[in-house]
Amino acid sequence: MYKLTEAINVKTMKGVVSKIRVLKMSRTPLVRFSLNEVNCLIAAHSLNFLADVDEGMQIVVAGEVNDRKKFVVKKYTVIGKTKIMIEFDLIRFHRKNL
């Protein structure tokens, strides 16, 4: 009648990204990064993450801690402009000045 479900302990963090590394290159790459000295992993949406985020950017992440004490990111958002937006603005600025 009722299913026993495990409670998911979702946490959020806000901070500055550093040390972005691709650990495993596949269809959905496994990416490691640090957020305020906390080790984080992202697999879901990792290609978007690599396109949106650069070291030094401020982001907010939601996820949970795994058995190895790594924060596994399920969702993220960039505070301010994403990396693609910044690059697009630079291209537009250079074309404007030619």
Side-chain angles (χ1 to χ4, degrees), residues 20-23 29-33 40-43 46 49-50:
I20 300 174
R21 305 282 182 269
V22 177
L23 297 180
L30 179 62
V31 176
R32 178 217 176 274
F33 64 95
C40 301
L41 297 171
I42 184 168
S46 59
F49 181 85
L50 290 170

Side-chain angles (χ1 to χ4, degrees), residues 38-55:
V38 175
N39 293 324
C40 301
L41 297 171
I42 184 168
H45 311 292
S46 59
L47 290 175
N48 289 339
F49 181 85
L50 290 170
D52 288 340
V53 180
D54 206 358
E55 293 184 9

